[in-house]
Amino acid sequence: MFSISLMILLFAFNLIHVAMQKDTIFYKDLRFWIVFFSLIALIVLATKANV
């Protein structure tokens, strides 16, 4: 469970980092969507594992 929590935090920090960059429009950037969907998938897997 610790590793899943750590991965969620790392994905969230990476998502914030991509969103805060001023040189690109973050919602059109491919990196934003890759990190966003990875974070959502990790959260879904973590919640289903605890049920």
Side-chain angles (χ1 to χ4, degrees):
M1 191 63 185
F2 175 74
S3 61
I4 292 174
S5 300
L6 183 64
M7 288 176 64
I8 289 173
L9 286 174
L10 289 175
F11 276 117
F13 284 133
N14 194 5
L15 190 63
I16 290 169
H17 176 70
V18 170
M20 295 301 239
Q21 288 181 347
K22 296 183 186 210
D23 56 340
T24 60
I25 300 173
F26 73 92
Y27 57 86
K28 291 184 180 179
D29 195 3
L30 181 63
R31 291 177 300 154
F32 172 80
W33 293 110
I34 290 172
V35 172
F36 182 74
F37 287 129
S38 299
L39 180 64
I40 296 299
L42 189 61
I43 290 172
V44 168
L45 288 173
T47 56
K48 286 189 178 203
N50 288 334
V51 172

